[in-house]
Amino acid sequence: MLEYFTIFSLLIDSTLRVATPLVFAALAGLFAERSGVVDIGLEGKLLGAAFAAAAAAAVTGSAFIGLFAGILCSVFLSLIHGFACVTHKGDQVVSGMAINIFVAGIGPTLALAWFKLGGQTPQLSGDARFSPLHFPGEEIIANIPYIGLIYSEVLSGHNIFVYLAFILVPIVSWVVYKTRFGLQLRAVGENPEAVDTAGISVGMMRYKALFITGLLCGFGGAYISIAQNAGFIRNMSAGQGFLALAALIFGKWKPGLTLFACLLFAFTDALQARLQGVSIPGIGVIPVQFIQALPYVLTVILLAGFIGKAVAPKASGIPYIKER
Amino acid sequence: MTSSLNKIQQSKNNSPKWITHIVVPIFNLLVALLIAGVVIYFNGDDPFDALLLLIKGSFGNDEFIGFTLYYTTNFIFTGLAVSIAFHCGLFNIGGEGQAYIGGLGVGLVAIYLGHLSPFFVIPLCIIAAIIFGASWSFVPAYLQAKRGSHIVITTIMFNFLAAALMTYLMVEILIEPGQQAPQSREFNENSWLPFMHEIFEFFGIQISVSSLNFSFIIAIIVSILIWFFIWRTHWGYEIRTTGANQKAAIYAGISPSKNIILAMIISGALAGMVGINEIVGVHHRLILDFPAGFGFVGIAVALMGRNHPLGIFFAALLFGALYQGGAELSFDIPNITRDTMVFIQGLVILFSGALEFVFKPYIENIYFFIKNNLVRN
């Protein structure tokens, strides 16, 4: 019994780690999409922030400067998206894709030119990284069965980003549903004409939303390169931005449900790592790829409307053109 | 306000097609190259040297031209794939996955039927590429047409599904027995497409060995067929009408859902044909990750080529040159790699896609300025 409990605790532990960048990116996407701007550039922003954070941390030796650089880069990319889609009413999907591809290319190019390590940044250590936080009394409590495991594996020993991501969910929920800004944000994504009539600038609202998108993606990307890993490597975001987008859709553009989707997707990832080559009695070895594919299959099934219906913000994807 | 509206109307009516279709894309490309040049300059290299080496490395001799055209072949297929979806108002980001699965179809035919006569097995490979590629875009198309699931998201998901499926098949099932690397056994030579240097040799002309193969000719034929299909058949007309205005299409008795599915399965089939060039054209075995981002290059190619097969040919040639020249370039300038070409590709998508209207009015104004002055004089 204790053995299964240990496995379960470790699974939860790695689920939380994997979920963190997804939560940041998905909440980032939530602001963009709720304001009516489709953002498939989450992937690029994560990767860009990861690169900028690792490069700045490698040069300065400070993880905080790294984080700041990551946020700056991600916000810049987000504003490019805004410039293309809000100011110039360009195609939002094309712009997002452009940012993804642009970042995938420029990250390794600059890393190679700056650090001469074949498109990576140097290995980071010490203050250049965010290390896990350990709660007080971990050693003492760790010896108590069950409770000790929960305390030391599940609650304690994570990066500050992990806690931050989970604290962020109720905050985002409060901002989106309980503040004036949140009301305007949702209105601009559902009915921009009404917002315009009320004398609020649709463009400005969307820029504000995209700024928050960039900010949150910055945290997610920095977590990937200077907390979860120790440096930037080519394409290290590895589709997590797209997975976050899927989680956002799966969560029906609501913070709480999106968190649940992120945890579910992260859990499948933790599970496949644990089930690699393990034979389950009565079933046999499940190919890991099938478990890996699960989040994508679930999202497609949800989009098809077979399990509930995912209804996007009404104005999402449509540039707002003021009637004259 | 009315004057600016009038200006837009005037420019729409008067600016000739070649401004939109030739000058604007070239200008957008130049802006992208300019930004890349600035980055290269700040990395401590001479951007003009780089450009010269890039041209030399892509068109400098017949071997380089061969490799350039080999990449061009892939980009023609993926560019056409993205464009036909665009004609129907759809954005197919799934070219990568469709190419992957198309290659699977080609590989399965070559593995299990490769011993048959080439006159039988090669057409079968082509048909398999088409059917497998089309099947991978059919589900997202069906879901878009019948259930309103957003095709951008579903095709992204299908890229990941294709990658997972192919990894599973390559690692567990199609792997060559006794080998560690996840790749299939080499195909029977009957299924190999002739290389271009072999075709030329057959006619007594010696050219350098490269990866360029018969698929290039297939790509040219397919381009002409697609041009004919889009602008000379009623199917193409219905697809374009659906793309231009779905409501109008319904009033005209055109079924949007039928055309969405038609455009997308053709799109998937075209992307799947990358598998012909890669699998039976060059590698002669199934390998992991052979689409290597070619599906995404198709987006840049279609946008730059203005969704016209001729434009797509030139845009594909440009990206073929970037990919081949970029590979040669990294021998001389180590700081410039394939990644730099991906970066330029992103810029091209940004400027000729999302920001296409930024420079256009200025270019048109310059055109009108020159024209009016010439008329007066």
Side-chain angles (χ1 to χ4, degrees), chain A residues 90-171:
Chain A
D91 190 309
Q92 301 173 356
V93 174
V94 173
S95 166
M97 208 58 209
I99 287 169
N100 287 340
I101 293 173
F102 167 82
V103 172
I106 195 159
T109 301
L110 291 179
L112 178 68
W114 293 349
F115 303 107
K116 310 281 180 220
L117 289 169
Q120 308 186 359
T121 60
Q123 281 284 312
L124 302 171
S125 56
D127 284 345
R129 277 186 73 190
F130 286 97
S131 28
L133 293 179
H134 288 282
F135 288 2
E138 195 178 303
E139 292 83 26
I140 306 163
I141 301 175
N143 293 327
I144 308 169
Y146 301 108
I147 297 167
L149 263 175
I150 292 176
Y151 190 69
S152 63
E153 291 296 338
V154 179
L155 290 178
S156 169
H158 291 294
N159 224 283
I160 184 153
F161 284 85
V162 179
Y163 303 109
L164 202 61
F166 286 87
I167 296 169
L168 206 58
V169 177
I171 296 176

Side-chain angles (χ1 to χ4, degrees), chain B residues 89-228:
Chain B
L90 303 165
F91 194 176
N92 178 13
I93 305 191
E96 197 74 3
Q98 290 143 16
Y100 216 171
I101 298 300
L104 171 68
V106 175
L108 289 178
V109 169
I111 289 170
Y112 294 110
L113 303 169
H115 53 279
L116 302 174
S117 150
F119 293 101
F120 196 63
V121 73
I122 287 176
L124 267 185
C125 281
I126 297 173
I127 292 167
I130 290 170
I131 291 176
F132 274 67
S135 72
W136 210 247
S137 62
F138 172 73
V139 178
Y142 179 84
L143 293 178
Q144 169 79 64
K146 302 286 183 191
R147 306 199 65 106
S149 325
H150 202 304
I151 202 144
V152 169
I153 308 293
T154 45
T155 49
I156 290 174
M157 298 299 125
F158 268 70
N159 282 345
F160 288 108
L161 292 177
L165 176 67
M166 287 299 282
T167 310
Y168 168 70
L169 289 177
M170 297 306 300
V171 173
E172 304 284 345
I173 295 178
L174 295 171
I175 189 169
E176 187 173 7
Q179 291 291 317
Q180 285 297 314
Q183 54 183 28
S184 76
R185 67 174 170 82
E186 192 168 62
F187 306 146
N188 189 303
E189 284 197 31
N190 284 356
S191 67
W192 297 11
L193 278 181
F195 280 110
M196 217 49 120
H197 51 88
E198 293 169 344
I199 297 171
F200 272 78
E201 201 175 84
F202 181 79
F203 292 106
I205 308 165
Q206 288 289 330
I207 60 165
S208 297
V209 174
S210 74
S211 291
L212 182 62
N213 58 69
F214 187 72
S215 313
F216 181 66
I217 296 168
I218 299 176
I220 300 295
I221 295 169
V222 167
S223 297
I224 296 166
L225 289 178
I226 290 294
W227 171 80
F228 187 81

Side-chain angles (χ1 to χ4, degrees), chain B residues 57-70:
Chain B
S58 47
F59 296 107
N61 63 37
D62 61 344
E63 185 199 341
F64 294 161
I65 294 175
F67 278 103
T68 297
L69 292 179
Y70 147 70

Side-chain angles (χ1 to χ4, degrees), chain A residues 252-276:
Chain A
K252 300 178 180 175
W253 293 269
K254 295 189 175 85
L257 279 174
T258 301
L259 172 70
F260 168 75
C262 290
L263 288 172
L264 178 71
F265 291 179
F267 184 73
T268 61
D269 192 72
L271 196 65
Q272 63 90 8
R274 192 142 285 267
L275 285 181
Q276 203 130 29

Side-chain angles (χ1 to χ4, degrees), chain A residues 187-188 190-200 202 206 315 318-323:
Chain A
V188 102
E190 295 287 346
N191 194 344
E193 288 81 8
V195 175
D196 199 16
T197 313
I200 299 160
V202 174
R206 289 187 172 170
I318 309 159
Y320 178 66
I321 297 164
K322 212 181 170 92
E323 274 183 55

Side-chain angles (χ1 to χ4, degrees), chain B residues 213-363:
Chain B
N213 58 69
F214 187 72
S215 313
F216 181 66
I217 296 168
I218 299 176
I220 300 295
I221 295 169
V222 167
S223 297
I224 296 166
L225 289 178
I226 290 294
W227 171 80
F228 187 81
F229 177 81
I230 292 175
W231 278 285
R232 290 292 179 274
T233 66
H234 70 89
W235 294 295
Y237 177 76
E238 287 193 5
I239 285 176
R240 282 184 291 128
T241 311
T242 307
N245 190 337
Q246 267 198 27
K247 275 187 190 147
I250 296 170
Y251 278 117
I254 296 168
S255 153
S257 57
K258 188 194 107 190
N259 281 289
I260 286 170
I261 293 175
L262 180 65
M264 275 304 286
I265 58 175
I266 294 173
S267 179
L270 287 165
M273 291 177 95
V274 168
I276 302 169
N277 189 30
E278 289 292 318
I279 297 302
V280 287
V282 178
H283 298 298
H284 304 141
R285 55 172 86 221
L286 263 178
I287 56 169
L288 274 183
D289 292 327
F290 69 85
F294 299 149
F296 295 126
V297 182
I299 300 168
V301 168
L303 288 169
M304 246 209 104
R306 294 272 153 190
N307 297 327
H308 188 284
L310 191 65
I312 285 168
F313 174 83
F314 285 110
L317 186 66
L318 172 85
F319 276 96
L322 281 178
Y323 265 60
Q324 162 56 18
E328 289 298 314
L329 192 56
S330 38
F331 291 117
D332 294 297
I333 306 179
N335 275 348
I336 301 177
T337 58
R338 182 64 62 76
D339 296 318
T340 319
M341 302 304 138
V342 173
F343 156 55
I344 295 175
Q345 180 194 328
L347 287 174
V348 167
I349 296 178
L350 188 67
F351 285 109
S352 49
L355 292 174
E356 63 175 330
F357 304 119
V358 176
F359 301 119
K360 202 180 153 198
Y362 298 102
I363 295 171

